Structures are given as structure tokens and as C-alpha cells.
């Protein structure tokens, strides 16, 4: 399997998708221009609605059926009847799409606020995630690999 930090496969894929990437960039530019014409409060509301739509789609792709309206309601007031796992993922996704967390601070970006400081095994749902020194090593590798992709267009290099 080729390394994900090798820019060559990304550049080949980018070249193959150049037209679609250009269309996406144009559409994003149009959206941003439209939002800039709105009053600030209306633009903020439109962005929030777009975030909820995107989070709904991401959760559905994972098989978690949580509608954008429920996501919005949950963010306004916690509901006891809601399934906490999809809502946790929805909150995380909303924070990421709203620009909270930076790739420079990978644990915070991934929402690993309470990760173990050691390599001790975990008894929580974090069992499948790297933790402690193992996570730190993978984070350094990821950061180095993502710098190798600087020549790839942003739409093709970043999630």
C-alpha cells in the first residue's frame, strides 16, 4: 500500500478530477459570495443551517439516522430521549465545521480531551483509538505527511 504522505498519487487523482474540483471551487465561491451579500445575522443562520445539513449527511453515511432538525434542537437543549452516540458525533462535526480545533493540535481537533497520558489500555469506547505515546507518534507522522501534500490543491488534499 502506498504511503498517504506521498504526494504523487494525490497529484494524479487531482489531475483526473481537475474539472470536478474546479466546479466545486466555483460553487463554493458562489456560495461564499451569496453569503457575503446577506446581513451578518442572516449569513450566520445560513451557515449554521448548512453545517447541520452536512452533519446530517455525514452521520447518515455512518448509518446513524439523525435529522438536521434534531441536531439543531439538540444543540440548543439536550434531550433525554436522544441517542447520545450520534449526538456526540454531531456535536463534534459541528465544532469542526464551524472551525473549532486546528490540525496543529490534533488531539483537540479529534476531540480527545481526556486521552490517557500513558500507554495503559483503556476500558472505554476509546479502545480502538491510538492513545498516549502511540497517538503522539502517529500525530507526528500525520503532520509530516500532511506537509508533503502542500502541492496538492486544498480541495483534494484536505477533508
Amino acid at each position: 500500500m502506498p504511503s498517504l504522505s506521498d504526494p504523487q498519487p494525490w497529484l494524479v487523482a487531482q489531475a483526473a478530477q481537475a474539472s470536478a474540483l474546479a466546479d466545486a471551487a466555483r460553487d463554493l465561491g458562489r456560495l461564499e459570495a451569496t453569503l457575503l451579500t446577506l446581513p451578518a445575522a442572516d449569513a450566520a443562520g445560513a451557515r449554521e443551517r448548512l453545517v447541520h445539513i452536512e452533519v446530517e449527511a455525514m452521520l447518515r453515511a455512518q448509518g446513524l439516522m439523525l435529522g438536521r432538525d434534531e441536531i439543531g434542537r439538540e444543540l440548543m437543549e439536550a434531550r433525554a430521549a436522544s441517542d447520545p452516540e450520534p449526538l456526540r458525533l454531531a456535536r463534534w462535526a459541528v465544532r469542526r465545521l464551524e472551525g473549532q480545533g486546528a490540525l496543529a493540535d490534533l488531539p483537540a481537533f479529534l476531540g480527545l480531551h481526556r486521552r490517557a497520558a500513558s500507554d495503559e489500555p483503556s476500558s472505554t469506547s476509546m479502545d480502538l483509538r491510538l492513545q498516549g505515546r502511540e497517538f503522539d507518534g502517529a500525530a507526528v507522522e500525520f503532520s509530516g505527511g500532511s506537509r508533503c501534500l502542500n502541492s496538492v490543491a486544498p480541495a483534494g488534499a484536505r477533508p
Side-chain angles (χ1 to χ4, degrees):
M1 177 175 197
S3 169
L4 291 177
S5 62
D6 178 7
Q8 195 53 41
W10 292 93
L11 292 170
V12 169
Q14 176 180 297
Q17 298 297 321
S19 178
L21 288 169
D23 289 344
R26 181 199 62 228
D27 292 344
L28 284 172
R30 284 182 181 164
L31 174 62
E32 189 59 30
T34 300
L35 291 173
L36 287 172
T37 66
L38 297 174
D42 292 347
R47 283 186 180 95
E48 183 177 348
R49 184 72 175 163
L50 289 170
V51 163
H52 293 176
I53 291 168
E54 188 64 22
V55 169
E56 176 187 35
M58 288 189 288
L59 291 173
R60 286 184 187 265
Q62 295 181 42
L64 302 170
M65 300 301 131
L66 187 63
R68 63 190 81 152
D69 294 331
E70 188 173 358
I71 293 166
R73 280 192 307 272
E74 174 59 28
L75 293 172
M76 288 189 281
E77 60 180 59
R79 294 184 25 205
S82 297
D83 182 357
E85 181 61 12
L87 291 171
R88 183 189 65 77
L89 291 171
R91 284 190 193 105
W92 177 88
V94 166
R95 288 191 303 271
R96 298 296 78 76
L97 291 170
E98 288 179 343
Q100 296 177 21
L103 285 177
D105 184 8
L106 204 52
F109 180 80
L110 295 174
L112 304 177
H113 307 295
R114 288 174 249 157
R115 71 183 173 99
S118 69
D119 289 324
E120 298 287 323
S122 166
S123 61
T124 67
S125 63
M126 297 286 286
D127 286 343
L128 299 177
R129 293 187 178 185
L130 299 177
Q131 296 182 30
R133 287 184 218 76
E134 196 175 53
F135 176 86
D136 293 338
V140 168
E141 182 181 342
F142 173 82
S143 295
S146 66
R147 280 191 293 279
C148 294
L149 298 175
N150 286 341
S151 60
V152 177
R158 303 285 188 267

